[in-house]
Amino acid sequence: MSQHATQLCVILVNEVYGELSSRVFHTLMRHGRLALPPLAHHSKLPIRQIKHGLAVLIQQHLVRHHTGSEDNHITYYEADWMEAYVLLRSGKVIMMAEQRCGQAAGELVSNLLLQGHTTTKDLAKAYLAVAKAGGRSEAAAVADGESTLVQLDATLRKLLDDGLVRAIKADQLRPPTDNYNEAVRVVNSMDIHDGMKGSKKNMQFEAKVRETLREWRRDGQDGQKGVKRRLDDGDGGSRAKRARTSLYDGVSTNGYVNPSMDHETLPNVDENLVICVSFEKYSVLSRNQRLAELVEQKIGTVPSAVYAELLNRLSRKIPRCQDDLAEEDDENDEESWRTDGPTVSTIELTTHLSPDIDLASGIGKAPPAPKLPNGIKRRLDDDDSDVDEGTGKTPEVIDDDAEDDSDRDSDHHHHRPAVPALLTGGIHLVKQHLQLLAAQPHRFVSQTKSQGQGTWAANFNGLIGALKQSSLEDIIHARFGSIALRIVRVLSTKGKLDEKQISNMALVRQKDIRATLTSMHEAGFLELQEVPRDNVRQTSKTLFLWFFDPDRTRLMVLEDMYKTMARLLQRAKKERTLLRGLLEKAERTDVVGHEEELLSREERRTLLVWRDKEERLLGQLLRLDRMVELFRDF
């Protein structure tokens, strides 16, 4: 753990939870895994205060703990710096929940962020207490409480379906090392080796440990396990009837509440389910936004909207961006995303597209058909070359695959149920948009199957790798100039080269690149390897090879970002301290909204300057966080 990242996390914990919690957290970050007595010794705090700080940190998942059975039941504590860093993204998570699931979802996520984790039963009681407060009649309070429960149940189910809220188990509050040791103990109790020896035995053992950890994580994070099962879920023939009669158990579609329903629990969610906010899912959705923005820059608005919906369909099957428990073969196989990754069909994508998207506006006219070998020209009428704006259909003669699909559909038309007009009129347009995305140099999508209208997948690793490389090149260009950017691209393509080879390939004179190479080497962006030609190791008989390591450079850039973010927060705190009296006065309830009458001209001017300065500091902080997302989380 680096010094600047530790400093940034301690500052964030101090800003949100106070000095006591930050001192305990800082001690754990500095000294690592500790029990309570050494924690009190290193932090110079009494044990009673340490327990109060640990209670807050454990509730907020900032500290993990484990009580061992082999050490006389001693509890050890370990800080989780990643959970501390994501405190910076709380506002982004709330805003994303509001955009996807409504304002009530944003308020629910905000409450969960304050609580850390809680049971749905306690959450329902808290919402009921707020709804019944106000001195109204008992009947009105009961009615408001019932409607609050129905709204809370619907909002919570939306968040569970989207993955922004997830279930959590006790083993997920343990340090990863303890979970791994427990999985090793479980696997050791099994006889899985079948007489194998050596490296093959170790590989099978490690694969079994990973599979055990994945199973534990899957059981704990499957939000659907917290949804109550209806009595007739097993009867497939009664689903349509259920959809027509009742939306929730005990609550009919017209708002009538069954008197037998428990008015302090949610209708469809398990009351003992422990839930928390999933920052991993937020990273998935944020990655979708970045890729959709890239498509809009490269192609246009309409293909970007189609691609955003495709990523939204795929993200329902992706709980996190980076899986540390993935199979090693899948990590090394660059084409595994085609066969093992999530896919979405063209029909499913067209069904869920917004009707406000004008699919025809994003597709240009097809070029004239070339002359056929037998001398017969295949002509397109003017009416066929244009898209019919009334129906949204494309000319079937342009796409031979579309002709085959339409013929196949017409042959089996009586076997298919009715489909929406958008699906029948726009499916070929959607397919053309997907083919356009697949034909780009970045290969935003790739077709995995051609049956029906085809299924599609996205190569997230390749796309994010291209984004990382582009962002890194932008940083190098801004710091060292265009010659440095040319050198980096040459070294990324060719590998290790000496100064003369770089000069020839970059088409730049040697004396012009020498100063740039030296400055980049001093800053850590380039590395130098000495290769002696003989055992004497004389300088005149030594090759100096320059090379560029993108992974190491990204880590170095991340360290610079952590340092800058910590300095920004410290500067904002210092400025806030200097203006403490004025800020406290401006935040008083009797002053808010009456600044013109209760504040002097000089105070208003100072307050305006501070707010502008704070906005610029926090804006720069969020821009740096976007870079951290790209380099570390995606």
Side-chain angles (χ1 to χ4, degrees):
M1 185 60 193
S2 66
Q3 173 188 356
H4 300 302
T6 301
Q7 184 182 20
L8 173 61
C9 293
V10 171
I11 292 174
L12 290 172
V13 174
N14 188 24
E15 287 283 339
V16 181
Y17 301 110
E19 184 179 357
L20 175 60
S21 298
S22 66
R23 285 186 63 179
V24 176
F25 184 82
H26 185 209
T27 304
L28 290 173
M29 289 292 297
R30 184 177 180 182
H31 297 280
R33 182 187 181 100
L34 293 175
L36 192 58
L39 178 58
H41 171 73
H42 290 297
S43 63
K44 310 299 182 182
L45 292 172
I47 291 182
R48 183 177 180 181
Q49 293 185 6
I50 290 177
K51 288 182 178 180
H52 287 298
L54 286 174
V56 174
L57 295 173
I58 292 173
Q59 181 70 22
Q60 299 295 333
H61 310 158
L62 301 176
V63 167
R64 298 174 182 264
H65 62 94
H66 176 65
T67 303
S69 58
E70 301 177 357
D71 300 315
N72 298 325
H73 302 285
I74 298 177
T75 302
Y76 293 92
Y77 303 94
E78 183 178 332
D80 189 347
W81 74 277
M82 290 292 291
E83 291 290 338
Y85 178 85
V86 294
L87 293 174
L88 190 64
R89 301 174 180 169
S90 300
K92 293 182 179 179
V93 176
I94 295 173
M95 183 175 65
M96 182 169 290
E98 289 181 354
Q99 292 174 352
R100 296 180 64 88
C101 305
Q103 183 177 0
E107 296 176 357
L108 178 56
V109 169
S110 177
N111 293 330
L112 285 177
L113 289 174
L114 292 176
Q115 295 295 326
H117 62 268
T118 184
T119 62
T120 55
K121 183 177 182 179
D122 294 338
L123 191 65
K125 287 182 179 180
Y127 271 73
L128 276 177
V130 174
K132 293 180 180 180
R136 292 164 296 174
S137 63
E138 183 177 355
V142 170
D144 291 343
E146 291 169 352
S147 61
T148 299
L149 281 183
V150 173
Q151 182 181 6
L152 176 61
D153 179 81
T155 304
L156 187 56
R157 290 203 57 180
K158 287 181 182 178
L159 292 172
L160 286 171
D161 290 339
D162 279 359
L164 287 172
V165 171
R166 63 178 176 88
I168 187 173
K169 291 175 62 177
D171 59 353
Q172 295 173 4
L173 299 178
R174 292 200 304 243
T177 304
D178 294 306
N179 284 332
Y180 180 83
N181 294 336
E182 181 66 19
V184 169
R185 187 189 65 80
V186 171
V187 174
N188 278 329
S189 63
M190 308 176 185
D191 187 13
I192 62 171
H193 303 309
D194 297 332
M196 292 185 298
K197 298 180 181 180
S199 61
K200 189 173 182 181
K201 174 183 175 180
N202 296 334
M203 291 175 59
Q204 184 182 11
F205 180 82
E206 188 66 25
K208 189 64 178 178
V209 171
R210 286 172 174 261
E211 182 182 352
T212 303
L213 292 173
R214 285 197 302 270
E215 186 65 27
W216 291 350
R217 186 178 63 184
R218 190 180 306 115
D219 291 341
Q221 294 185 355
D222 188 1
Q224 293 297 333
K225 292 182 180 293
V227 179
K228 293 180 181 178
R229 180 178 178 270
R230 298 190 181 97
L231 294 178
D232 50 358
D233 270 353
D235 185 8
S238 61
R239 292 184 179 181
K241 183 178 180 180
R242 290 201 312 273
R244 289 192 302 268
T245 56
S246 177
L247 182 61
Y248 304 104
D249 293 341
V251 183
S252 63
T253 54
N254 61 359
Y256 169 73
V257 181
N258 191 336
S260 63
M261 187 184 73
D262 186 0
H263 298 307
E264 293 188 357
T265 60
L266 299 179
N268 289 318
V269 181
D270 184 7
E271 63 180 14
N272 296 320
L273 183 68
V274 182
I275 57 176
C276 66
V277 177
S278 176
F279 286 97
E280 292 178 334
K281 191 66 176 183
Y282 161 79
S283 297
V284 174
L285 300 177
S286 180
R287 181 180 65 179
N288 293 349
Q289 291 182 353
R290 297 288 288 274
L291 293 178
E293 292 173 1
L294 179 62
V295 171
E296 185 174 4
Q297 294 174 3
K298 298 293 184 180
I299 307 177
T301 305
V302 178
S304 173
V306 175
Y307 191 59
E309 184 59 36
L310 181 139
L311 295 178
N312 185 35
R313 295 289 104 195
L314 292 176
S315 64
R316 295 179 176 273
K317 309 170 187 177
I318 304 175
R320 60 192 56 83
C321 292
Q322 298 180 3
D323 191 358
D324 54 346
L325 300 178
E327 296 287 345
E328 294 183 359
D329 295 339
D330 294 343
E331 293 178 351
N332 299 328
D333 187 6
E334 297 181 355
E335 296 296 328
S336 61
W337 60 276
R338 292 177 178 272
T339 56
D340 302 332
T343 60
V344 61
S345 66
T346 311
I347 297 177
E348 178 187 358
L349 176 60
T350 309
T351 305
H352 291 89
L353 274 177
S354 172
D356 298 332
I357 301 175
D358 187 6
L359 297 173
S361 64
I363 298 294
K365 296 182 179 180
K371 188 175 181 180
L372 297 180
N374 59 2
I376 302 176
K377 292 184 178 179
R378 185 181 182 186
R379 299 180 58 188
L380 295 175
D381 296 333
D382 293 338
D383 295 337
D384 292 335
S385 62
D386 297 330
V387 177
D388 189 352
E389 298 181 356
T391 61
K393 294 183 178 180
T394 55
E396 297 181 354
V397 295
I398 296 177
D399 190 357
D400 294 335
D401 294 337
E403 287 183 342
D404 298 338
D405 294 337
S406 62
D407 294 340
R408 190 185 305 112
D409 294 342
S410 62
D411 294 339
H412 302 279
H413 180 72
H414 59 283
H415 296 293
R416 298 189 309 169
V419 292
L422 175 64
L423 183 60
T424 58
I427 189 169
H428 297 301
L429 286 174
V430 172
K431 189 174 181 180
Q432 290 185 26
H433 280 287
L434 293 174
Q435 291 172 348
L436 178 63
L437 292 168
Q440 295 297 312
H442 288 288
R443 294 180 62 192
F444 293 104
V445 295
S446 179
Q447 188 172 8
T448 58
K449 294 181 181 179
S450 58
Q451 290 83 0
Q453 297 294 339
T455 58
W456 306 82
N459 182 12
F460 290 104
N461 291 335
L463 292 170
I464 294 302
L467 271 178
K468 290 179 180 179
Q469 183 67 20
S470 176
S471 300
L472 199 57
E473 290 178 355
D474 292 341
I475 294 174
I476 293 173
H477 183 267
R479 290 188 60 175
F480 303 102
S482 58
I483 295 179
L485 177 59
R486 187 178 300 183
I487 292 173
V488 166
R489 288 177 176 175
V490 169
L491 293 177
S492 299
T493 306
K494 301 299 181 180
K496 298 179 180 180
L497 300 173
D498 61 10
E499 187 177 296
K500 184 176 181 180
Q501 291 173 324
I502 296 174
S503 174
N504 293 333
M505 293 184 181
L507 302 179
V508 181
R509 292 181 300 178
Q510 255 182 285
K511 63 178 183 180
D512 294 335
I513 68 171
R514 190 171 294 123
T516 303
L517 288 172
T518 303
S519 60
M520 294 181 68
H521 179 59
E522 292 176 351
F525 283 81
L526 290 183
E527 296 296 326
L528 187 62
Q529 180 181 0
E530 299 180 6
V531 182
R533 297 180 181 178
D534 53 16
N535 295 331
V536 182
R537 304 181 69 89
Q538 296 181 0
T539 304
S540 59
K541 295 182 179 181
T542 301
L543 293 177
F544 295 93
L545 302 179
W546 298 90
F547 65 94
F548 175 71
D549 188 352
D551 294 332
R552 182 186 178 280
T553 306
R554 280 195 290 268
L555 291 177
M556 185 186 62
V557 171
L558 273 176
E559 288 301 315
D560 293 342
M561 290 180 183
Y562 292 147
K563 181 178 179 180
T564 305
M565 295 168 76
R567 297 297 181 267
L568 288 172
L569 290 173
Q570 288 175 338
R571 184 62 184 174
K573 183 178 179 180
K574 181 65 176 179
E575 294 287 341
R576 201 179 296 114
T577 302
L578 295 176
L579 300 174
R580 178 182 300 174
L582 176 59
L583 294 178
E584 290 177 354
K585 180 179 180 181
E587 292 172 357
R588 282 167 32 189
T589 56
D590 58 329
V591 176
V592 175
H594 303 85
E595 289 83 357
E596 294 290 338
E597 297 85 2
L598 301 179
L599 294 180
S600 64
R601 178 180 300 176
E602 183 64 22
E603 288 177 335
R604 292 197 304 269
R605 189 189 67 81
T606 304
L607 189 62
L608 185 62
V609 171
W610 155 246
R611 287 174 178 172
D612 179 68
K613 184 181 298 183
E614 183 184 34
E615 182 180 356
R616 286 188 278 113
L617 289 173
L618 296 181
Q620 183 64 23
L621 188 70
L622 295 181
R623 281 193 291 270
L624 289 172
D625 180 57
R626 279 175 59 89
M627 298 296 296
V628 172
E629 274 186 331
L630 177 62
F631 286 153
R632 189 194 66 188
D633 298 338
F634 293 168

